[in-house]
Structures are given as structure tokens and as C-alpha cells.
Amino acid sequence: LHVLFEHAAGYALFAVREVEEIGLLLPQVRAVPAGIRLHFHALVKGLSAQSASKAQLGLGHSYSRAKVKFNVNRVDNMIIQSISLLDQLDKDINTFSMRVREWYGYHFPELIKIVSENYTYCRLAKFIGNRKELSEESLEGLEEIVMDGAKAQAILEASRSSMGMDISPLDLINIESFSSRVISLSEYRKGLQEYLRSKMSQVAPTVTPVHPLPPQVGARLISHAGSLTNLAKYPASTVQILGAEKALFRALKTRGNTPKYGLIFHSTFIGRAAAKNKGRISRYLANKCTIASRIDCFSGAWGPRRGGGCNPGGRFCHDGNFIFRQQHLTVLTTRRRRRRRRKRRRRRRRPGTQRRRTSAAELEPGRAPAYGLTD
């Protein structure tokens, strides 16, 4: 009896001796592969138990990668991590900026009313330092930071008549050091935003050019769905309310109105629309976003149609970009406008003014209608 055994380290052919009748010794024959698997390192020359265990571990990893279809080229995880880090940076920068305002406000409280932007305020706190040392020579540096000559002059005048308390040099050193950290975080956030925009153009080139949908909104949709594949599998109705699950279940529980939009509300097109059109525009935008995500996930690229040029209706271009036009929204409201016109016409009609059918007897006196009886 010969047994061909497949192991993580390779194949081996074994000759089994002292087996007379296979039918009588069927349980023992079934136990032969198990015994070979257990004592494989002792049966093969030059193979130790440690090498056999490493080979089994490598085979297990390879099998797991093939099972879950692990793809190292899929970079939507980078988008998920980038947008999560971007949101966290926004919260941290706002918190740290408020700390700088409160800390430096003891020394120069008038600066808060003049400058409202956090990044500019931190740069000014680092540049000014002690307000008593601010002079006309510093006016050029102030103009470079605030990009406004009137504001720079107002800061200079406010420093001369400020009601803030005096501060020690050691405190100023700590404030300037902390302001430098906040400035570096803000600059890193700008670089991360550019990185996210370039990454979205590579991973989701069709979702990114949807005109009213910024790259950050598309990245948040991918992050909330878990991956680009999950987002492509969602219907448009799910994409529309993605991010508003709490409001949706609360509405279902209380039998109230369900939400019309979720993360997609951050689109500027929905924010500029009237209240009655927000739901329609969000539904329209969710449809286009769903189509774009499926193109990016399952086809990889969107090429031109036969004959070149754009698709009919101007919704897709040959380079895969969406063209979102105002005239496309008229299709959504055509039926509703017709219904309103019909209602207006019915209201204008007064009772008794409607036309009634004229009988044949009225048309020709003395002649009875074909369907009636004569007197």
C-alpha cells in the first residue's frame, strides 16, 4: 500500500507494510494519514519538528489570505483612516485653540474680538508675545499674518490701551510653545486634506468629481459603510440616510417623520436649496453617488461610449466625471407641477358652469333622440 501525503512542506510518497487485507483493516487504514501527519518530521530526512510547524503556519496564513480574498492593492482603508484622523484633528485643534485663547486672553483680551479665526489667533499669539513690546516696526509682520492693514492697525492700537494683566516671561514661553504645536497641527491638517483629496481621486475617481459632493463627504460615506465595496452594494435609499441611523430608528419607534438625509447633507448643493427641495435633491444626489461607487468598485474605470463624447443627457462625460446641472432637477418636479395645475383648474371652475351634454331633441326640435321615447 502506497500513500501520497500532502504536507505544508511538500508531497511525500509512503509505502505501508504488513497490511494483508484492506477491507478487514479499514479503520487502521484510515488512521494511517493521521499517523503520517503526526510523525511527518520523523519520517522525512532533513525535516525537523520546528521546520514542519513553520511550514504549517505559512500554509495557514496563505490559506487565510486566499479565503478572505486579501488584496494589498485595495487602498480604501487609507481613506478610512485619513478621514477619521481628519475629524479627530478638527476636534483637537478647536479644543487647543480655545485653550490658547483662554490662556493668552488674560494678557491680551482685546485680541479675541479682533481676530476670530483659530489658526490666525495662534500665529498672532506666537508673534506678539508680550503686548507691551509691540511697536510700529511690528506692523508689517502683523499685516503679513492677518492679511489686512486695518486689522493690523487695530491690533497695534488695542495693545497700547489693553486692560490685560502682566505676564511673566516663563508663562510667555509656555504659551508660545503651545501655540507652535497648534500651528503645526493646523498645517498638518492642510497637508492631510490634500492627501485625502488625491487618494479619493485614485480610489474613487467617479465619486470624487460629483460636483456638489466634496471629497470629504465621499470619504465619510466610505468610512461609514466600511469599504468602497459595501458602499457600492447599498441601495440609493440607504446611501441617502447613511449617518442618520439614530434619527431613523427614533422616527420608526415614535412613528414620526423619517430623516431625509444623513452624511450627504454636508453637500453644498443641499445646503443652498430651499427646505421643500432638500429631500428631492438629496435623493437625486444619492442615486448618482450610488452609480458612481458601483462604477469605481466593479469596473475600475469609466471609459467613453462608442462614438466618443458624453452620454445622452450630459450626466456622464467621457472621462468619468458627473455633470450635475440645475436643469436635471426639473425632471423631478414635472409630475408635481402638473398635479398642481390640475388642482388650480378645478378650483377656478364654479359649480354649475360645467358643460353638459346636449341631447338630440335640443339640437332638432320635434325629433326624438335615438335612445329615448316620444311623448
Side-chain angles (χ1 to χ4, degrees):
L1 176 64
H2 292 81
V3 178
L4 179 62
F5 186 77
E6 181 183 1
H7 192 263
Y11 294 91
L13 183 64
F14 296 94
V16 182
R17 301 176 182 177
E18 299 179 359
V19 178
E20 298 178 356
E21 295 183 5
I22 302 299
L24 297 177
L25 301 175
L26 189 59
Q28 288 81 353
V29 173
R30 290 179 178 176
V32 169
I36 294 175
R37 185 183 301 108
L38 182 62
H39 304 285
F40 186 78
H41 60 279
L43 298 174
V44 178
K45 295 181 180 180
L47 183 65
S48 61
Q50 186 178 5
S51 301
S53 63
K54 288 183 179 180
Q56 291 176 356
L57 182 62
L59 179 63
H61 288 171
S62 301
Y63 178 77
S64 300
R65 289 192 187 97
K67 194 69 176 177
V68 300
K69 296 181 180 179
F70 180 78
N71 187 7
V72 295
N73 297 323
R74 179 67 68 183
V75 289
D76 54 355
N77 292 328
M78 305 302 171
I79 293 177
I80 295 173
Q81 297 298 328
S82 299
I83 192 62
S84 301
L85 179 58
L86 193 65
D87 294 339
Q88 188 65 37
L89 278 176
D90 289 337
K91 297 178 183 178
D92 294 343
I93 289 173
N94 289 334
T95 304
F96 295 156
S97 300
M98 293 302 297
R99 182 62 57 192
V100 173
R101 285 173 178 270
E102 185 177 357
W103 199 356
Y104 191 69
Y106 292 117
H107 178 62
F108 195 0
E110 291 80 8
L111 186 62
I112 300 176
K113 298 180 180 179
I114 301 175
V115 179
S116 59
E117 189 180 357
N118 294 331
Y119 178 68
T120 308
Y121 186 90
C122 293
R123 291 183 62 188
L124 286 173
K126 180 182 178 182
F127 176 78
I128 295 173
N130 192 350
R131 58 179 173 79
K132 294 182 178 180
E133 299 177 358
L134 200 63
S135 60
E136 295 289 343
E137 299 177 356
S138 306
L139 191 61
E140 184 178 355
L142 292 175
E143 291 181 1
E144 185 179 355
I145 294 175
V146 298
M147 303 298 292
D148 190 357
K151 279 188 177 181
Q153 188 65 32
I155 293 171
L156 183 61
E157 294 176 357
S159 64
R160 295 172 180 173
S161 60
S162 177
M163 298 178 61
M165 59 179 287
D166 295 335
I167 195 168
S168 63
L170 182 61
D171 296 333
L172 279 176
I173 291 174
N174 285 279
I175 293 174
E176 291 175 0
S177 176
F178 187 60
S179 300
S180 302
R181 299 293 179 88
V182 178
I183 293 170
S184 62
L185 281 177
S186 301
E187 293 175 352
Y188 173 71
R189 183 196 174 280
K190 294 179 181 178
L192 183 63
Q193 191 172 4
E194 293 296 329
Y195 165 76
L196 179 63
R197 184 179 291 107
S198 63
K199 212 66 177 177
M200 281 292 295
S201 62
Q202 296 175 5
V203 179
T206 314
V207 175
T208 305
V210 178
H211 173 62
L213 197 66
Q216 294 183 10
V217 179
R220 285 192 179 93
L221 290 175
I222 294 175
S223 176
H224 197 83
S227 65
L228 182 62
T229 306
N230 294 342
L231 181 64
K233 292 178 181 179
Y234 285 160
S237 57
T238 304
V239 175
Q240 181 181 351
I241 61 172
L242 202 64
E245 290 84 2
K246 186 181 293 185
L248 174 64
F249 291 118
R250 183 174 63 247
L252 294 176
K253 185 177 181 180
T254 59
R255 296 184 180 181
N257 295 329
T258 56
K260 298 179 181 178
Y261 30 72
L263 293 172
I264 207 171
F265 178 75
H266 294 284
S267 172
T268 57
F269 203 84
I270 299 177
R272 290 179 298 172
K276 62 179 181 180
N277 295 327
K278 288 183 183 294
R280 302 180 216 168
I281 296 176
S282 62
R283 182 167 59 252
Y284 184 86
L285 192 58
N287 292 333
K288 299 308 168 189
C289 185
T290 304
I291 297 173
S293 61
R294 290 171 183 173
I295 291 172
D296 291 332
C297 181
F298 299 115
S299 65
W302 183 261
R305 287 195 172 188
R306 295 181 181 178
C310 294
N311 293 353
R315 300 185 182 182
F316 295 99
C317 275
H318 62 279
D319 56 351
N321 295 347
F322 277 113
I323 297 179
F324 194 88
R325 297 178 180 175
Q326 182 70 25
Q327 61 184 6
H328 294 157
L329 296 177
T330 57
V331 180
L332 303 175
T333 57
T334 302
R335 294 183 179 179
R336 182 165 292 184
R337 289 177 180 175
R338 291 177 181 175
R339 293 173 185 173
R340 290 178 181 176
R341 290 174 184 174
R342 292 172 185 173
K343 290 181 180 179
R344 290 173 185 173
R345 291 173 183 174
R346 292 173 184 174
R347 291 174 184 174
R348 291 174 183 174
R349 292 178 181 176
R350 297 179 181 178
T353 59
Q354 297 182 358
R355 293 183 179 180
R356 60 186 183 87
R357 296 181 179 179
T358 307
S359 61
E362 294 177 350
L363 293 175
E364 297 182 10
R367 179 180 176 183
Y371 55 85
L373 298 175
T374 57
D375 294 335

